[in-house]
Amino acid sequence: MNSEDFQSVEYEVVGKVARVTLNRPEHFNAIDLHMPGELERSIELANFDDNVKVILLSGKNVFCSGYDLKLFAGERGVTPGSQKMPWDPYTDYQMMNRCNKAWMSIWHSLKPVVAKIRAVAIGGGSDIALCCDVTFTSDDARIGYPPSRIWGCPTTAMWCYRVGMERAKRILFAGEILSGKKAASIGLIGEAVSDEDLDSAVDSFVERIISVPTNQLFFQKQVINQVIEQMGLLNTQRLATVFDGMSRHTPEGVAFHQRMQEIGFKKAVQERDSGAMTVWSNTDDNSNKSKL
């Protein structure tokens, strides 16, 4: 796959910087079936380009609003994000592990990846952002993993490593969406600045590390990543990827999927995130209701 073949990601090299841009602005850069592979290929291209020192990852207009629920959940019948019951965990793991491998190509990149987060990094978008080495966001951006309420578990599992055990639980138990300013204040994101200052703040940092030899950047990244990997990151991700599939095929997950197909994913997500959604522990028995 050449960069010219990309549909959902733009790749260009400007000076010593590989600029990787998520490019579905009409869908708030929501993740489709092309984006994972194209993002992984972009990282590979930058790693093997001797002229590139740093990779800058951003999105066109906004960062990323998560998986495209119209594609993965909103259509009638079986969608890429669900199966007919009984479901096959292997099939689900195969699909989600492919996405996780793509996001983790950022983590494994031999060259540093700097994220510029504008407006949103929600759901799968936060998975992508939190794999980056250095992160900047606008103060008013919205960052979180609301699918943790129903229908998702963050497969990159970066939350605990970035903010600690209790803060990770507080955020994921509630499906909380943080402002960029709040995310930076607790260490989830490295730095938050005003939206008008975001470009200059990122460019200034990138210009500073361009002056460092590529091998020195590599040495520092490998040592720091090793600390996190020794804490069990890769095993945690395997578990999270399995649980992500399980969460979409619980009775509540199946009911939520049906609700998205009935009223549209936007209204169903609003119900879920407001806490007002009524779901059934047994989707064949509407008399057994519970409030989430």
Side-chain angles (χ1 to χ4, degrees):
M1 181 187 291
N2 298 315
S3 60
E4 293 81 8
D5 301 325
F6 290 172
Q7 298 183 49
S8 301
V9 172
E10 280 188 356
Y11 178 87
E12 63 174 341
V13 177
V14 180
K16 298 289 185 181
V17 181
R19 296 180 175 270
V20 180
T21 307
L22 308 180
N23 186 30
R24 301 186 73 225
E26 68 280 9
H27 302 287
F28 301 100
N29 300 325
I31 299 161
D32 65 358
L33 295 173
H34 302 287
M35 190 176 289
E38 292 177 7
L39 178 58
E40 185 175 12
R41 177 59 176 152
S42 295
I43 300 298
E44 182 182 38
L45 288 171
N47 272 258
F48 285 92
D49 186 339
D50 290 339
N51 293 317
V52 171
K53 298 286 289 290
V54 180
I55 302 166
L56 176 57
L57 176 60
S58 63
K60 189 163 287 187
N61 300 335
V62 305
F63 187 72
C64 179
S65 59
Y67 287 90
D68 188 336
L69 291 183
K70 184 175 182 180
L71 169 66
F72 287 99
E75 301 297 332
R76 291 283 179 177
V78 177
T79 62
S82 66
Q83 301 175 37
K84 290 182 178 179
M85 301 298 284
W87 70 293
D88 183 351
Y90 173 77
T91 299
D92 194 282
Y93 187 89
Q94 185 181 47
M95 178 189 73
M96 291 311 302
N97 187 56
R98 177 69 189 87
C99 294
N100 205 51
K101 181 174 177 286
W103 313 151
M104 283 297 288
S105 69
I106 298 168
W107 176 268
H108 294 299
S109 171
L110 305 183
K111 298 176 182 179
V113 182
V114 178
K116 178 167 63 176
I117 302 163
R118 177 166 272 125
V120 291
I122 298 293
S126 69
D127 279 332
I128 297 171
L130 298 182
C131 283
C132 294
D133 300 303
V134 177
T135 50
F136 290 81
T137 183
S138 53
D139 287 330
D140 59 355
R142 298 166 64 244
I143 301 167
Y145 201 91
S148 62
R149 292 183 62 85
I150 302 175
W151 226 64
C153 181
T155 58
T156 60
M158 289 291 182
W159 293 79
C160 189
Y161 299 102
R162 282 183 171 262
V163 299
M165 178 188 71
E166 183 168 341
R167 278 180 172 157
K169 288 178 179 178
R170 283 174 176 261
I171 294 166
L172 295 177
F173 284 176
E176 184 179 1
I177 297 177
L178 308 174
S179 69
K181 187 174 183 178
K182 176 66 179 294
S185 73
I186 65 174
L188 182 67
I189 299 297
E191 184 175 350
V193 298
S194 65
D195 188 71
E196 56 266 27
D197 293 332
L198 182 59
D199 290 338
S200 61
V202 172
D203 291 345
S204 177
F205 178 79
V206 168
E207 285 299 317
R208 182 169 175 79
I209 63 174
I210 281 175
S211 65
V212 179
T214 297
N215 51 26
Q216 284 296 126
L217 296 171
F218 167 75
F219 298 152
Q220 310 316 320
K221 173 169 179 170
Q222 297 311 305
V223 169
I224 295 168
N225 280 13
Q226 166 75 359
V227 174
I228 303 301
E229 290 171 5
Q230 286 294 313
M231 294 170 66
L233 173 63
L234 300 183
N235 285 332
T236 303
Q237 289 180 340
R238 290 188 187 98
L239 184 64
T241 303
V242 170
F243 279 2
D244 182 66
M246 292 172 68
S247 73
R248 283 179 277 106
H249 294 89
T250 61
E252 295 86 355
V254 172
F256 177 59
H257 185 213
Q258 292 174 344
R259 187 66 170 157
M260 284 190 281
Q261 293 178 331
E262 289 168 1
I263 66 173
F265 72 91
K266 290 183 179 179
K267 289 183 179 179
V269 166
Q270 288 172 353
E271 287 184 352
R272 178 197 67 189
D273 295 349
S274 70
M277 180 181 173
T278 300
V279 300
W280 294 271
S281 58
N282 182 339
T283 55
D284 293 325
D285 180 6
N286 287 1
S287 65
N288 185 13
K289 296 182 180 180
S290 62
K291 277 285 203 175
L292 288 187

